[in-house]
């Protein structure tokens, strides 16, 4: 190989120029030793633990539990803490939240009639959950959102009208574990069998935790 | 009963009570039946090797890349190759509209035939060989050239730039590397004094110091020349330029689909066995069983004969498997060569080296009497050198492993040790 411009590279054979036989022998030596060393490196990997995590079934614990707290997975809303202020809907840059709050003309109570999150539209920016003052809307570490139908990506959290929560920020019923509400609502394939069948809109029985103004 | 014809004659005598098979009018029919049977067995062996090998190679590749590899189809994924085969079988067999149809359709079969033809003269065990040809080595050098024709036809017939490049590259590569590989085998032929593959094995012995590879320093070099040339002839990495994914998409087979595509890969993986078995035959003592000469096995009858034959096959298969593993490991160790580097390796390094070793071997053959003092000293020296190299290799593997063990434990909280027999 004769290149037009000789480029002096460290470890190049420029030092042996003018001695073709020596350069030739050096090439052979270098090739054999480097192949020998290379084989020793790859062989050592036969004895090392593979880095593969065998998602989804052959793992020690679910990936959802390995994810960090700040992970922005699929959104969920705890309607027992939601005040129906619609701050999140206003904050959402792509209108993936659809909230309808109605007023009962007799009791003057306000009800959340619809709280839909379109996870097909959501871009997981987290602005809505930051806007929420009541810790109601937040991201979970759930991420398995594949579904057989586009309609399944529209999550209906308000399966029946729920009275709005009237507690102040930092009070009210305890926030349920993240993901527990979403798993009852979501339809997509992989999370379906994780459902517990608990009605996520019913207030928890054991600790009643009735905030003062709660109706119903 | 040393070859297929002997077996057929024996069968004619035994089954049809014909005293002289040569004068019996239906002898050719029985011969034809035995040829078909031998062909079927050999195809069965090639398929039984190529299929699982495609799975094993992917598992080895996985471990070397810190992955696992296919492990979902069946226990540990051993049915992966069957799933792949069925998938390819069910796929549409597309012929491009602008392709040269007859050439395009014929090419995979030529490639396969070129690879499969070598099985005629390849020994398997002490007395298991399709035909112990007098010109065995010549046959083994000549018949793989059919692969070049097939690859060129595939490249040209596809009417695609990438395929043509792949075909032309493979032709240049195979034609070049046949020279050092032929010279390397010529040295062996000189020492053995025969071209027959069984004869070459018979000229060696069961113990390492009786193998041709350790007979003298030049034959040791010759082995590596042959091994590198065989790699290049088999289009194996790092010489897999004809199917360089990064530049030619997939080379000569880029336009193929379905079963025709599988034929190329079938030939490639079966070729792993062919080249390793050839290296084992020529340099590593073949099927020689320690403490049991082939003549004594031939004199045996019944199950004892079958048992010793099976043992000799196991020894042969073991040596071949070690070489196959090295070939696979090389593929995942070395990056692909450039075209000019490929040609440089052959014409500036391997051809002169093979000429030097051939001349040196001739001199040694003339000057050093076999089993004399000098001969034994050379053999002993070569075995010692090989043992030292093997020890050094193990030491380097261990050092590479130990270099990362502590860091891994600190970072992952787990032991790094995960030997190959522990299947994830």
């Amino acid at each position: 190989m004769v290149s037009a411009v000789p480029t002096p590279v460290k470890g190049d054979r420029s030092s042996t120029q003018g001695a073709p036989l020596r350069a030739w022998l050096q090439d052979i030596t270098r090739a054999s030793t480097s192949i020998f060393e290379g084989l020793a490196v790859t062989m050592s990997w036969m004895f090392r633990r593979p880095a593969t995590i065998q998602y989804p079934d052959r793992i020690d614990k679910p990936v959802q539990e390995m994810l960090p707290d700040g992970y922005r997975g699929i959104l969920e809303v705890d309607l027992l803490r939601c005040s129906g202020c619609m701050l999140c809907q206003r904050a959402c840059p792509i209108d993936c939240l659809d909230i309808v709050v109605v007023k009962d003309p007799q009791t003057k109570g306000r009800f959340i009639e619809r709280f839909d999150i379109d996870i097909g539209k959501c871009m997981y920016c987290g602005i809505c959950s930051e806007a929420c003052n009541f810790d109601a809307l937040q991201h979970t570490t759930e991420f398995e959102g594949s579904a057989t139908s586009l309609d399944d990506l529209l999550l209906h959290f308000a399966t029946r009208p729920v009275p709005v929560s009237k507690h102040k920020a930092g009070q009210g019923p305890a926030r349920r574990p993240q993901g527990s509400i979403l798993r009852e609502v979501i339809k997509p394939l992989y999370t379906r069998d994780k459902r517990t069948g608990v009605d996520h809109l019913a207030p928890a029985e054991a600790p009643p935790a009735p905030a003062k103004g709660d109706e119903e | 009963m040393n070859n297929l014809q002997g077996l057929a004659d024996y069968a004619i005598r035994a089954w049809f009570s014909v005293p002289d098979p040569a004068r019996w009018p239906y002898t050719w029919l029985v011969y034809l039946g035995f040829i078909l049977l031998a062909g079927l067995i050999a195809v069965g062996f090639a398929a039984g090797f190529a299929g699982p090998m495609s799975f094993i190679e992917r598992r080895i590749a996985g471990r070397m890349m810190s992955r696992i590899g296919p492990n979902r189809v069946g226990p540990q994924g051993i049915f992966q190759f069957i799933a792949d085969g069925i998938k390819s079988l069910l796929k549409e067999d597309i012929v491009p509209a602008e392709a040269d149809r007859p050439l395009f359709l014929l090419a995979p079969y030529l490639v396969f035939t070129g690879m499969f033809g070598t099985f005629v003269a390849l020994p398997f065990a002490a007395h298991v060989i399709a035909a112990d040809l007098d010109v065995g080595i010549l046959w083994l050098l000549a018949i793989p050239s059919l692969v070049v024709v097939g690859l060129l036809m595939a490249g040209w017939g596809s009417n695609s730039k990438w395929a043509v490049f792949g075909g032309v590259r493979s032709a240049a590569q195979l034609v070049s590397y046949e020279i050092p590989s032929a010279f390397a085998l010529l040295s062996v032929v000189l020492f053995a004094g025969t071209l027959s593959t069984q004869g070459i094995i018979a000229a060696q012995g069961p113990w390492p110091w009786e193998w041709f590879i350790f007979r003298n320093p030049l034959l040791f070099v010759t082995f590596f020349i042959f091994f590198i040339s065989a790699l290049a002839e088999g289009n194996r990495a790092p010489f897999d330029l004809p199917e360089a994914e990064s530049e030619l998409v997939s080379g000569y087979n880029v336009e193929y689909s379905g079963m025709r595509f599988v034929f190329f890969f079938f030939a490639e993986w079966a070729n792993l066995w062919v080249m390793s078995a050839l290296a084992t035959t020529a340099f590593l003592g073949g099927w020689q069983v320690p403490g049991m000469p082939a003549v004594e096995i031939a004199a045996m009858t019944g199950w004892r004969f079958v048992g010793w034959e099976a043992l000799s096959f196991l020894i042969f298969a073991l040596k071949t498997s070690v070489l196959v593993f090295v070939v696979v490991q090389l593929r995942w160790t070395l990056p692909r060569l450039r075209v000019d580097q490929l040609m440089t390796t052959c014409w500036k390094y391997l051809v002169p080296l093979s000429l030097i070793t051939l001349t040196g071997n001739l001199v040694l053959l003339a000057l050093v009497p076999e089993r004399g003092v000098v001969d034994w000293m050379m053999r002993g020296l070569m075995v010692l050198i090989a043992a030292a190299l093997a020890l050094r290799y193990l030491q380097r593997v261990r050092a590479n492993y130990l270099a990362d063990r502590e860091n891994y434990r600190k970072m992952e909280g787990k032991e790094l040790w995960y030997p190959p027999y522990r299947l994830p």
Side-chain angles (χ1 to χ4, degrees), chain A residues 17 33-34 44 109 111 131 147 161 163 199:
Chain A
Q17 219 119 58
T33 47
S34 62
S44 81
F111 289 84
D199 182 7

Side-chain angles (χ1 to χ4, degrees), chain B residues 42-108:
Chain B
V43 170
F45 180 81
F49 175 79
M53 197 55 224
S54 72
F55 160 70
I56 291 166
E57 168 158 20
R58 286 158 73 185
R59 287 300 291 257
I60 294 174
R63 290 304 295 272
M64 286 178 180
M65 297 170 165
S66 197
R67 300 186 281 118
I68 291 170
N71 68 340
R72 295 282 164 158
V73 192
Q76 284 298 324
I78 51 170
F79 299 131
Q80 182 69 42
F81 69 95
I82 296 176
D84 289 346
I86 291 172
K87 187 196 85 172
S88 303
L89 205 64
L90 297 178
K91 288 228 169 183
E92 189 187 353
D93 183 19
I94 300 168
V95 182
E98 298 287 311
D100 193 332
R101 211 180 153 82
L103 291 189
F104 185 84
L105 297 183
L106 187 62

Side-chain angles (χ1 to χ4, degrees), chain B residues 274-288:
Chain B
V274 172
M275 66 193 201
S276 304
L278 190 50
T280 309
T281 303
F283 291 95
L284 300 182
W287 37 253
Q288 295 268 17

Side-chain angles (χ1 to χ4, degrees), chain A residues 81-113:
Chain A
R81 293 177 64 89
C82 179
S83 69
C85 65
M86 311 257 248
L87 276 177
C88 48
Q89 193 184 20
R90 247 169 278 152
C92 183
I94 47 175
D95 294 339
C96 73
L97 297 165
D98 185 10
I99 307 168
V100 173
V101 178
V102 293
K103 202 169 188 181
D104 191 323
Q106 277 134 36
T107 60
K108 306 285 181 197
R110 291 164 70 236
F111 289 84
I112 302 170
E113 198 179 62

Side-chain angles (χ1 to χ4, degrees), chain A residues 26-194:
Chain A
Q26 249 181 22
D27 281 350
I28 291 174
T29 322
R30 201 163 51 195
S32 2
T33 47
S34 62
I35 290 172
F36 184 85
E37 286 294 317
L39 286 177
V41 169
T42 44
M43 192 65 193
S44 81
W45 281 87
M46 291 295 286
F47 300 96
R48 299 182 195 206
R49 188 182 293 276
T52 309
I53 295 172
Q54 297 199 59
Y55 174 82
D57 52 344
R58 296 181 197 166
I59 37 181
D60 302 335
K61 55 180 181 177
V63 179
Q64 281 86 346
E65 289 171 23
M66 297 187 214
L67 293 170
D69 289 338
Y71 186 80
R72 296 207 293 261
I74 298 170
L75 283 168
E76 76 172 359
V77 60
D78 188 347
L79 286 179
L80 299 185
R81 293 177 64 89
C82 179
S83 69
C85 65
M86 311 257 248
L87 276 177
C88 48
Q89 193 184 20
R90 247 169 278 152
C92 183
I94 47 175
D95 294 339
C96 73
L97 297 165
D98 185 10
I99 307 168
V100 173
V101 178
V102 293
K103 202 169 188 181
D104 191 323
Q106 277 134 36
T107 60
K108 306 285 181 197
R110 291 164 70 236
F111 289 84
I112 302 170
E113 198 179 62
R114 188 194 296 167
F115 200 115
D116 289 355
I117 301 176
D118 191 346
I119 60 170
K121 249 181 176 178
C122 179
M123 63 175 183
Y124 304 92
C125 61
I127 295 176
C128 54
S129 65
E130 276 169 34
C132 185
N133 292 327
F134 300 93
D135 273 355
L137 188 67
Q138 64 170 219
H139 283 284
T140 64
T141 52
E142 293 286 337
F143 56 90
E144 293 160 327
S146 55
T148 48
S149 155
L150 198 57
D151 294 339
D152 289 349
L153 294 177
L154 188 64
L155 304 183
H156 307 286
F157 280 90
T159 43
R160 60 167 188 268
V162 196
V164 298
S165 162
K166 287 177 181 157
H167 69 272
K168 293 194 181 77
Q171 296 171 353
R175 183 70 170 77
R176 256 97 41 100
Q178 61 97 355
S180 60
I181 302 166
L182 178 74
R183 281 195 285 272
E184 302 305 320
V185 172
I186 198 167
K187 283 203 196 75
L189 296 171
Y190 292 111
T191 29
R192 185 169 293 165
D193 52 353
K194 290 183 194 164

